[in-house]
Amino acid sequence: MKALNPFFIIGTVGVIVTAIFHVVIALVLSIPAAHTTFFVLYPMFISFLAIGAGQIIKHDKAIADN
């Protein structure tokens, strides 16, 4: 099994954990001011995910061209 890109792993885990915490805070604690924090975190982790996916695609294309 080949190793995944660290950016891809950070982005994936970050989005999943952020989504879980967002749901918990929204439903259990009902703190409306906390939503602003999560709307900052989502784009950050999605950008990590996009960078990692782009690097994986670039690496796979380089292997296919050889």
Short mmCIF file of all heavy atoms in Angstrom, two decimals:
data_model
loop_
_atom_site.label_atom_id
_atom_site.label_comp_id
_atom_site.label_asym_id
_atom_site.label_seq_id
_atom_site.Cartn_x
_atom_site.Cartn_y
_atom_site.Cartn_z
N MET A 1 0.85 -1.18 0.00
CA MET A 1 0.00 0.00 0.00
C MET A 1 0.89 1.24 0.00
O MET A 1 1.81 1.36 0.79
CB MET A 1 -0.88 -0.01 1.24
CG MET A 1 -1.79 1.17 1.33
SD MET A 1 -2.82 1.03 2.81
CE MET A 1 -3.29 2.71 2.96
N LYS A 2 0.62 2.13 -0.91
CA LYS A 2 1.43 3.35 -0.95
C LYS A 2 0.90 4.36 0.06
O LYS A 2 -0.30 4.39 0.38
CB LYS A 2 1.45 3.94 -2.35
CG LYS A 2 0.13 4.51 -2.83
CD LYS A 2 0.29 5.11 -4.21
CE LYS A 2 -1.01 5.76 -4.62
NZ LYS A 2 -0.92 6.41 -5.89
N ALA A 3 1.80 5.19 0.55
CA ALA A 3 1.44 6.18 1.56
C ALA A 3 0.68 7.33 0.92
O ALA A 3 0.98 7.75 -0.20
CB ALA A 3 2.70 6.70 2.23
N LEU A 4 -0.33 7.81 1.62
CA LEU A 4 -1.08 8.96 1.14
C LEU A 4 -0.34 10.25 1.46
O LEU A 4 0.48 10.30 2.37
CB LEU A 4 -2.47 9.00 1.78
CG LEU A 4 -3.48 7.99 1.27
CD1 LEU A 4 -4.77 8.10 2.07
CD2 LEU A 4 -3.77 8.19 -0.20
N ASN A 5 -0.66 11.27 0.72
CA ASN A 5 -0.07 12.58 0.93
C ASN A 5 -0.48 13.13 2.29
O ASN A 5 -1.66 13.07 2.66
CB ASN A 5 -0.56 13.50 -0.20
CG ASN A 5 0.16 14.81 -0.22
OD1 ASN A 5 0.14 15.54 0.76
ND2 ASN A 5 0.76 15.11 -1.35
N PRO A 6 0.47 13.69 3.06
CA PRO A 6 0.12 14.24 4.39
C PRO A 6 -0.93 15.35 4.33
O PRO A 6 -1.76 15.45 5.23
CB PRO A 6 1.44 14.78 4.92
CG PRO A 6 2.49 14.10 4.14
CD PRO A 6 1.90 13.74 2.82
N PHE A 7 -0.89 16.19 3.28
CA PHE A 7 -1.90 17.24 3.15
C PHE A 7 -3.29 16.64 3.00
O PHE A 7 -4.27 17.15 3.53
CB PHE A 7 -1.61 18.15 1.95
CG PHE A 7 -0.49 19.11 2.17
CD1 PHE A 7 0.66 19.05 1.40
CD2 PHE A 7 -0.58 20.09 3.14
CE1 PHE A 7 1.69 19.94 1.60
CE2 PHE A 7 0.44 20.99 3.34
CZ PHE A 7 1.59 20.92 2.57
N PHE A 8 -3.38 15.55 2.24
CA PHE A 8 -4.66 14.87 2.03
C PHE A 8 -5.19 14.31 3.34
O PHE A 8 -6.38 14.44 3.65
CB PHE A 8 -4.48 13.76 0.99
CG PHE A 8 -5.77 13.13 0.54
CD1 PHE A 8 -6.57 13.76 -0.39
CD2 PHE A 8 -6.19 11.92 1.06
CE1 PHE A 8 -7.76 13.19 -0.81
CE2 PHE A 8 -7.37 11.35 0.65
CZ PHE A 8 -8.15 11.98 -0.28
N ILE A 9 -4.31 13.71 4.13
CA ILE A 9 -4.73 13.14 5.41
C ILE A 9 -5.17 14.23 6.38
O ILE A 9 -6.22 14.12 7.03
CB ILE A 9 -3.59 12.29 6.01
CG1 ILE A 9 -3.32 11.08 5.12
CG2 ILE A 9 -3.92 11.85 7.43
CD1 ILE A 9 -2.07 10.31 5.49
N ILE A 10 -4.37 15.31 6.48
CA ILE A 10 -4.72 16.42 7.37
C ILE A 10 -6.05 17.04 6.96
O ILE A 10 -6.91 17.32 7.81
CB ILE A 10 -3.61 17.48 7.37
CG1 ILE A 10 -2.36 16.96 8.05
CG2 ILE A 10 -4.08 18.77 8.06
CD1 ILE A 10 -1.14 17.84 7.86
N GLY A 11 -6.26 17.24 5.67
CA GLY A 11 -7.50 17.82 5.19
C GLY A 11 -8.71 16.94 5.46
O GLY A 11 -9.75 17.42 5.91
N THR A 12 -8.57 15.66 5.19
CA THR A 12 -9.68 14.73 5.40
C THR A 12 -10.06 14.62 6.87
O THR A 12 -11.24 14.76 7.23
CB THR A 12 -9.32 13.34 4.86
OG1 THR A 12 -8.95 13.46 3.48
CG2 THR A 12 -10.47 12.38 5.00
N VAL A 13 -9.07 14.39 7.72
CA VAL A 13 -9.34 14.26 9.15
C VAL A 13 -9.86 15.58 9.71
O VAL A 13 -10.79 15.60 10.52
CB VAL A 13 -8.08 13.79 9.91
CG1 VAL A 13 -8.27 13.85 11.41
CG2 VAL A 13 -7.69 12.38 9.47
N GLY A 14 -9.29 16.69 9.26
CA GLY A 14 -9.72 18.00 9.74
C GLY A 14 -11.17 18.30 9.40
O GLY A 14 -11.92 18.81 10.24
N VAL A 15 -11.57 18.01 8.17
CA VAL A 15 -12.96 18.26 7.76
C VAL A 15 -13.92 17.38 8.56
O VAL A 15 -14.96 17.84 9.03
CB VAL A 15 -13.14 18.05 6.25
CG1 VAL A 15 -14.61 18.02 5.87
CG2 VAL A 15 -12.43 19.14 5.46
N ILE A 16 -13.56 16.11 8.73
CA ILE A 16 -14.45 15.19 9.47
C ILE A 16 -14.58 15.61 10.93
O ILE A 16 -15.69 15.69 11.46
CB ILE A 16 -13.93 13.74 9.35
CG1 ILE A 16 -14.08 13.25 7.91
CG2 ILE A 16 -14.64 12.82 10.32
CD1 ILE A 16 -13.37 11.93 7.62
N VAL A 17 -13.46 15.91 11.58
CA VAL A 17 -13.51 16.31 12.99
C VAL A 17 -14.22 17.64 13.16
O VAL A 17 -15.02 17.81 14.09
CB VAL A 17 -12.08 16.35 13.57
CG1 VAL A 17 -12.05 16.99 14.95
CG2 VAL A 17 -11.48 14.96 13.63
N THR A 18 -13.96 18.58 12.27
CA THR A 18 -14.63 19.88 12.34
C THR A 18 -16.14 19.72 12.16
O THR A 18 -16.92 20.35 12.88
CB THR A 18 -14.07 20.83 11.26
OG1 THR A 18 -12.67 20.97 11.46
CG2 THR A 18 -14.73 22.18 11.33
N ALA A 19 -16.55 18.87 11.24
CA ALA A 19 -17.98 18.65 11.02
C ALA A 19 -18.64 18.02 12.26
O ALA A 19 -19.74 18.43 12.66
CB ALA A 19 -18.20 17.77 9.80
N ILE A 20 -17.96 17.06 12.87
CA ILE A 20 -18.51 16.42 14.07
C ILE A 20 -18.65 17.43 15.20
O ILE A 20 -19.68 17.52 15.86
CB ILE A 20 -17.65 15.21 14.49
CG1 ILE A 20 -17.80 14.09 13.46
CG2 ILE A 20 -18.03 14.72 15.88
CD1 ILE A 20 -16.81 12.95 13.65
N PHE A 21 -17.57 18.21 15.44
CA PHE A 21 -17.64 19.23 16.50
C PHE A 21 -18.70 20.28 16.21
O PHE A 21 -19.38 20.75 17.12
CB PHE A 21 -16.29 19.90 16.69
CG PHE A 21 -15.29 19.07 17.45
CD1 PHE A 21 -13.94 19.23 17.20
CD2 PHE A 21 -15.68 18.16 18.40
CE1 PHE A 21 -13.01 18.48 17.89
CE2 PHE A 21 -14.76 17.39 19.10
CZ PHE A 21 -13.41 17.56 18.84
N HIS A 22 -18.86 20.65 14.94
CA HIS A 22 -19.86 21.65 14.57
C HIS A 22 -21.27 21.13 14.87
O HIS A 22 -22.10 21.86 15.41
CB HIS A 22 -19.72 21.99 13.10
CG HIS A 22 -20.43 23.22 12.70
ND1 HIS A 22 -20.36 23.73 11.43
CD2 HIS A 22 -21.23 24.09 13.37
CE1 HIS A 22 -21.07 24.83 11.36
NE2 HIS A 22 -21.62 25.06 12.53
N VAL A 23 -21.52 19.89 14.54
CA VAL A 23 -22.83 19.30 14.81
C VAL A 23 -23.08 19.23 16.31
O VAL A 23 -24.17 19.57 16.80
CB VAL A 23 -22.96 17.90 14.16
CG1 VAL A 23 -24.17 17.17 14.67
CG2 VAL A 23 -23.00 18.03 12.66
N VAL A 24 -22.08 18.80 17.07
CA VAL A 24 -22.24 18.69 18.52
C VAL A 24 -22.51 20.05 19.14
O VAL A 24 -23.42 20.22 19.96
CB VAL A 24 -20.99 18.04 19.16
CG1 VAL A 24 -20.99 18.19 20.67
CG2 VAL A 24 -20.90 16.58 18.77
N ILE A 25 -21.74 21.04 18.75
CA ILE A 25 -21.93 22.38 19.33
C ILE A 25 -23.27 22.97 18.90
O ILE A 25 -23.96 23.62 19.69
CB ILE A 25 -20.76 23.30 18.97
CG1 ILE A 25 -19.54 22.88 19.79
CG2 ILE A 25 -21.08 24.76 19.22
CD1 ILE A 25 -18.30 23.66 19.54
N ALA A 26 -23.67 22.73 17.66
CA ALA A 26 -24.93 23.29 17.18
C ALA A 26 -26.14 22.64 17.86
O ALA A 26 -27.10 23.33 18.20
CB ALA A 26 -25.04 23.13 15.67
N LEU A 27 -26.10 21.33 18.03
CA LEU A 27 -27.26 20.64 18.58
C LEU A 27 -27.27 20.54 20.10
O LEU A 27 -28.32 20.69 20.72
CB LEU A 27 -27.34 19.22 17.98
CG LEU A 27 -27.62 19.15 16.50
CD1 LEU A 27 -27.61 17.70 16.05
CD2 LEU A 27 -28.93 19.81 16.15
N VAL A 28 -26.12 20.28 20.68
CA VAL A 28 -26.09 20.04 22.12
C VAL A 28 -25.93 21.34 22.90
O VAL A 28 -26.67 21.60 23.84
CB VAL A 28 -24.95 19.05 22.47
CG1 VAL A 28 -24.83 18.87 23.97
CG2 VAL A 28 -25.18 17.72 21.78
N LEU A 29 -24.96 22.14 22.52
CA LEU A 29 -24.66 23.33 23.31
C LEU A 29 -25.43 24.58 22.87
O LEU A 29 -25.58 25.50 23.65
CB LEU A 29 -23.16 23.61 23.28
CG LEU A 29 -22.27 22.48 23.82
CD1 LEU A 29 -20.81 22.87 23.67
CD2 LEU A 29 -22.60 22.18 25.27
N SER A 30 -25.87 24.61 21.65
CA SER A 30 -26.64 25.74 21.09
C SER A 30 -25.94 27.08 21.31
O SER A 30 -26.51 28.04 21.83
CB SER A 30 -28.04 25.79 21.70
OG SER A 30 -28.72 24.61 21.40
N ILE A 31 -24.68 27.14 20.89
CA ILE A 31 -23.91 28.39 20.97
C ILE A 31 -23.83 28.98 19.57
O ILE A 31 -23.05 28.52 18.73
CB ILE A 31 -22.49 28.12 21.52
CG1 ILE A 31 -22.55 27.45 22.88
CG2 ILE A 31 -21.69 29.41 21.59
CD1 ILE A 31 -21.21 27.00 23.41
N PRO A 32 -24.63 30.00 19.26
CA PRO A 32 -24.63 30.54 17.89
C PRO A 32 -23.33 31.25 17.51
O PRO A 32 -22.97 31.29 16.34
CB PRO A 32 -25.79 31.53 17.88
CG PRO A 32 -26.27 31.64 19.27
CD PRO A 32 -25.63 30.61 20.10
N ALA A 33 -22.60 31.79 18.46
CA ALA A 33 -21.36 32.51 18.14
C ALA A 33 -20.25 31.56 17.69
O ALA A 33 -19.28 31.99 17.07
CB ALA A 33 -20.89 33.30 19.35
N ALA A 34 -20.39 30.29 17.96
CA ALA A 34 -19.36 29.32 17.60
C ALA A 34 -19.36 29.01 16.10
O ALA A 34 -18.36 28.53 15.58
CB ALA A 34 -19.56 28.04 18.38
N HIS A 35 -20.45 29.30 15.41
CA HIS A 35 -20.52 29.00 13.98
C HIS A 35 -19.47 29.77 13.19
O HIS A 35 -18.95 29.27 12.20
CB HIS A 35 -21.91 29.29 13.43
CG HIS A 35 -22.98 28.43 14.04
ND1 HIS A 35 -23.00 27.06 13.90
CD2 HIS A 35 -24.06 28.74 14.80
CE1 HIS A 35 -24.04 26.57 14.53
NE2 HIS A 35 -24.70 27.57 15.10
N THR A 36 -19.16 30.96 13.61
CA THR A 36 -18.17 31.78 12.91
C THR A 36 -16.81 31.08 12.91
O THR A 36 -16.11 31.08 11.89
CB THR A 36 -18.04 33.16 13.58
OG1 THR A 36 -19.33 33.74 13.67
CG2 THR A 36 -17.11 34.06 12.81
N THR A 37 -16.45 30.50 14.00
CA THR A 37 -15.18 29.78 14.09
C THR A 37 -15.14 28.62 13.12
O THR A 37 -14.12 28.39 12.45
CB THR A 37 -14.96 29.26 15.52
OG1 THR A 37 -15.06 30.34 16.44
CG2 THR A 37 -13.63 28.58 15.66
N PHE A 38 -16.22 27.90 13.01
CA PHE A 38 -16.23 26.75 12.13
C PHE A 38 -16.22 27.16 10.66
O PHE A 38 -15.64 26.45 9.83
CB PHE A 38 -17.43 25.85 12.43
CG PHE A 38 -17.27 25.12 13.72
CD1 PHE A 38 -18.00 25.48 14.84
CD2 PHE A 38 -16.39 24.06 13.82
CE1 PHE A 38 -17.85 24.82 16.03
CE2 PHE A 38 -16.23 23.38 15.01
CZ PHE A 38 -16.96 23.76 16.12
N PHE A 39 -16.81 28.28 10.32
CA PHE A 39 -16.80 28.72 8.93
C PHE A 39 -15.42 29.22 8.52
O PHE A 39 -15.14 29.36 7.34
CB PHE A 39 -17.87 29.77 8.69
CG PHE A 39 -19.26 29.20 8.71
CD1 PHE A 39 -20.25 29.78 9.46
CD2 PHE A 39 -19.57 28.06 8.00
CE1 PHE A 39 -21.53 29.24 9.50
CE2 PHE A 39 -20.84 27.50 8.03
CZ PHE A 39 -21.83 28.10 8.79
N VAL A 40 -14.55 29.45 9.47
CA VAL A 40 -13.14 29.74 9.17
C VAL A 40 -12.36 28.44 9.03
O VAL A 40 -11.46 28.33 8.19
CB VAL A 40 -12.53 30.63 10.28
CG1 VAL A 40 -11.05 30.78 10.10
CG2 VAL A 40 -13.21 31.98 10.31
N LEU A 41 -12.69 27.44 9.82
CA LEU A 41 -11.97 26.17 9.80
C LEU A 41 -12.26 25.34 8.54
O LEU A 41 -11.36 24.68 8.01
CB LEU A 41 -12.30 25.34 11.04
CG LEU A 41 -11.73 25.86 12.35
CD1 LEU A 41 -12.26 25.02 13.51
CD2 LEU A 41 -10.22 25.81 12.33
N TYR A 42 -13.50 25.34 8.09
CA TYR A 42 -13.84 24.54 6.90
C TYR A 42 -12.98 24.89 5.68
O TYR A 42 -12.39 23.99 5.08
CB TYR A 42 -15.33 24.67 6.55
CG TYR A 42 -16.25 23.86 7.43
CD1 TYR A 42 -17.22 24.49 8.20
CD2 TYR A 42 -16.18 22.49 7.48
CE1 TYR A 42 -18.08 23.76 9.01
CE2 TYR A 42 -17.03 21.75 8.28
CZ TYR A 42 -17.98 22.38 9.04
OH TYR A 42 -18.83 21.66 9.83
N PRO A 43 -12.88 26.16 5.27
CA PRO A 43 -12.05 26.46 4.09
C PRO A 43 -10.58 26.10 4.29
O PRO A 43 -9.90 25.71 3.34
CB PRO A 43 -12.22 27.96 3.89
CG PRO A 43 -13.45 28.32 4.60
CD PRO A 43 -13.60 27.35 5.72
N MET A 44 -10.09 26.24 5.52
CA MET A 44 -8.70 25.90 5.78
C MET A 44 -8.45 24.41 5.53
O MET A 44 -7.51 24.04 4.81
CB MET A 44 -8.33 26.25 7.22
CG MET A 44 -6.87 25.99 7.55
SD MET A 44 -6.45 26.34 9.24
CE MET A 44 -7.32 25.04 10.10
N PHE A 45 -9.29 23.55 6.08
CA PHE A 45 -9.09 22.12 5.89
C PHE A 45 -9.43 21.68 4.47
O PHE A 45 -8.80 20.75 3.94
CB PHE A 45 -9.88 21.32 6.92
CG PHE A 45 -9.29 21.38 8.30
CD1 PHE A 45 -10.01 21.87 9.37
CD2 PHE A 45 -7.99 20.94 8.53
CE1 PHE A 45 -9.47 21.93 10.63
CE2 PHE A 45 -7.44 20.99 9.79
CZ PHE A 45 -8.17 21.49 10.85
N ILE A 46 -10.38 22.32 3.84
CA ILE A 46 -10.69 21.99 2.44
C ILE A 46 -9.53 22.36 1.53
O ILE A 46 -9.23 21.66 0.56
CB ILE A 46 -12.01 22.65 2.01
CG1 ILE A 46 -13.17 21.96 2.73
CG2 ILE A 46 -12.20 22.59 0.50
CD1 ILE A 46 -14.52 22.63 2.55
N SER A 47 -8.83 23.46 1.85
CA SER A 47 -7.66 23.82 1.05
C SER A 47 -6.54 22.79 1.24
O SER A 47 -5.85 22.43 0.27
CB SER A 47 -7.18 25.22 1.39
OG SER A 47 -6.72 25.29 2.71
N PHE A 48 -6.33 22.30 2.47
CA PHE A 48 -5.37 21.22 2.67
C PHE A 48 -5.75 20.00 1.84
O PHE A 48 -4.90 19.36 1.21
CB PHE A 48 -5.30 20.81 4.15
CG PHE A 48 -4.37 21.62 4.98
CD1 PHE A 48 -4.86 22.50 5.93
CD2 PHE A 48 -3.00 21.51 4.84
CE1 PHE A 48 -4.00 23.24 6.72
CE2 PHE A 48 -2.14 22.25 5.61
CZ PHE A 48 -2.63 23.12 6.56
N LEU A 49 -7.03 19.66 1.85
CA LEU A 49 -7.53 18.51 1.10
C LEU A 49 -7.30 18.70 -0.40
O LEU A 49 -6.86 17.77 -1.10
CB LEU A 49 -9.01 18.30 1.40
CG LEU A 49 -9.69 17.06 0.87
CD1 LEU A 49 -9.04 15.80 1.40
CD2 LEU A 49 -11.16 17.08 1.25
N ALA A 50 -7.57 19.89 -0.91
CA ALA A 50 -7.38 20.16 -2.34
C ALA A 50 -5.91 20.12 -2.73
O ALA A 50 -5.56 19.58 -3.80
CB ALA A 50 -7.98 21.52 -2.69
N ILE A 51 -5.05 20.67 -1.90
CA ILE A 51 -3.61 20.63 -2.19
C ILE A 51 -3.12 19.19 -2.22
O ILE A 51 -2.38 18.78 -3.13
CB ILE A 51 -2.82 21.46 -1.15
CG1 ILE A 51 -3.10 22.94 -1.33
CG2 ILE A 51 -1.32 21.19 -1.26
CD1 ILE A 51 -2.58 23.81 -0.20
N GLY A 52 -3.54 18.40 -1.24
CA GLY A 52 -3.14 16.99 -1.20
C GLY A 52 -3.65 16.21 -2.40
O GLY A 52 -2.93 15.40 -2.98
N ALA A 53 -4.90 16.44 -2.77
CA ALA A 53 -5.46 15.74 -3.93
C ALA A 53 -4.73 16.14 -5.21
O ALA A 53 -4.45 15.30 -6.07
CB ALA A 53 -6.95 16.04 -4.05
N GLY A 54 -4.41 17.42 -5.33
CA GLY A 54 -3.66 17.89 -6.50
C GLY A 54 -2.28 17.26 -6.58
O GLY A 54 -1.83 16.87 -7.67
N GLN A 55 -1.61 17.13 -5.45
CA GLN A 55 -0.29 16.50 -5.44
C GLN A 55 -0.37 15.02 -5.76
O GLN A 55 0.50 14.47 -6.44
CB GLN A 55 0.39 16.73 -4.10
CG GLN A 55 0.85 18.15 -3.89
CD GLN A 55 1.52 18.36 -2.55
OE1 GLN A 55 1.51 17.48 -1.69
NE2 GLN A 55 2.09 19.55 -2.36
N ILE A 56 -1.43 14.35 -5.30
CA ILE A 56 -1.60 12.93 -5.62
C ILE A 56 -1.84 12.75 -7.12
O ILE A 56 -1.25 11.87 -7.75
CB ILE A 56 -2.76 12.32 -4.80
CG1 ILE A 56 -2.36 12.21 -3.33
CG2 ILE A 56 -3.17 10.95 -5.34
CD1 ILE A 56 -3.50 11.81 -2.41
N ILE A 57 -2.68 13.59 -7.69
CA ILE A 57 -2.96 13.51 -9.13
C ILE A 57 -1.70 13.80 -9.94
O ILE A 57 -1.40 13.11 -10.92
CB ILE A 57 -4.11 14.48 -9.51
CG1 ILE A 57 -5.42 13.97 -8.92
CG2 ILE A 57 -4.21 14.63 -11.02
CD1 ILE A 57 -6.56 14.96 -9.02
N LYS A 58 -0.94 14.81 -9.51
CA LYS A 58 0.31 15.16 -10.20
C LYS A 58 1.30 14.01 -10.13
O LYS A 58 1.96 13.68 -11.12
CB LYS A 58 0.90 16.41 -9.57
CG LYS A 58 2.15 16.91 -10.19
CD LYS A 58 2.64 18.17 -9.49
CE LYS A 58 3.99 18.60 -9.99
NZ LYS A 58 4.51 19.76 -9.24
N HIS A 59 1.40 13.37 -8.99
CA HIS A 59 2.31 12.24 -8.82
C HIS A 59 1.88 11.06 -9.68
O HIS A 59 2.73 10.39 -10.29
CB HIS A 59 2.36 11.84 -7.35
CG HIS A 59 3.31 10.73 -7.06
ND1 HIS A 59 2.91 9.43 -6.95
CD2 HIS A 59 4.66 10.72 -6.86
CE1 HIS A 59 3.94 8.67 -6.71
NE2 HIS A 59 5.03 9.43 -6.65
N ASP A 60 0.59 10.78 -9.72
CA ASP A 60 0.09 9.66 -10.53
C ASP A 60 0.30 9.91 -12.02
O ASP A 60 0.60 8.98 -12.77
CB ASP A 60 -1.38 9.40 -10.23
CG ASP A 60 -1.60 8.76 -8.86
OD1 ASP A 60 -0.60 8.31 -8.25
OD2 ASP A 60 -2.76 8.73 -8.41
N LYS A 61 0.14 11.17 -12.46
CA LYS A 61 0.39 11.50 -13.87
C LYS A 61 1.86 11.33 -14.21
O LYS A 61 2.21 10.86 -15.29
CB LYS A 61 -0.05 12.92 -14.18
CG LYS A 61 -1.51 13.07 -14.44
CD LYS A 61 -1.83 14.47 -14.92
CE LYS A 61 -3.28 14.62 -15.22
NZ LYS A 61 -3.60 15.99 -15.69
N ALA A 62 2.74 11.71 -13.28
CA ALA A 62 4.18 11.56 -13.53
C ALA A 62 4.56 10.09 -13.64
O ALA A 62 5.41 9.73 -14.46
CB ALA A 62 4.97 12.24 -12.42
N ILE A 63 3.94 9.24 -12.83
CA ILE A 63 4.22 7.81 -12.90
C ILE A 63 3.68 7.23 -14.20
O ILE A 63 4.32 6.40 -14.85
CB ILE A 63 3.62 7.08 -11.69
CG1 ILE A 63 4.40 7.46 -10.42
CG2 ILE A 63 3.63 5.57 -11.88
CD1 ILE A 63 3.80 6.89 -9.16
N ALA A 64 2.50 7.67 -14.63
CA ALA A 64 1.88 7.14 -15.85
C ALA A 64 2.67 7.57 -17.09
O ALA A 64 2.70 6.83 -18.09
CB ALA A 64 0.44 7.62 -15.95
N ASP A 65 3.30 8.74 -17.06
CA ASP A 65 4.05 9.22 -18.22
C ASP A 65 5.38 8.47 -18.38
O ASP A 65 5.92 8.43 -19.47
CB ASP A 65 4.34 10.72 -18.09
CG ASP A 65 3.08 11.55 -18.28
OD1 ASP A 65 2.11 11.02 -18.85
OD2 ASP A 65 3.08 12.72 -17.85
N ASN A 66 5.87 7.86 -17.32
CA ASN A 66 7.15 7.15 -17.43
C ASN A 66 6.92 5.75 -17.83
O ASN A 66 6.67 4.99 -18.36
CB ASN A 66 7.89 7.15 -16.08
CG ASN A 66 8.40 8.55 -15.76
OD1 ASN A 66 8.66 9.32 -16.65
ND2 ASN A 66 8.54 8.82 -14.49
#
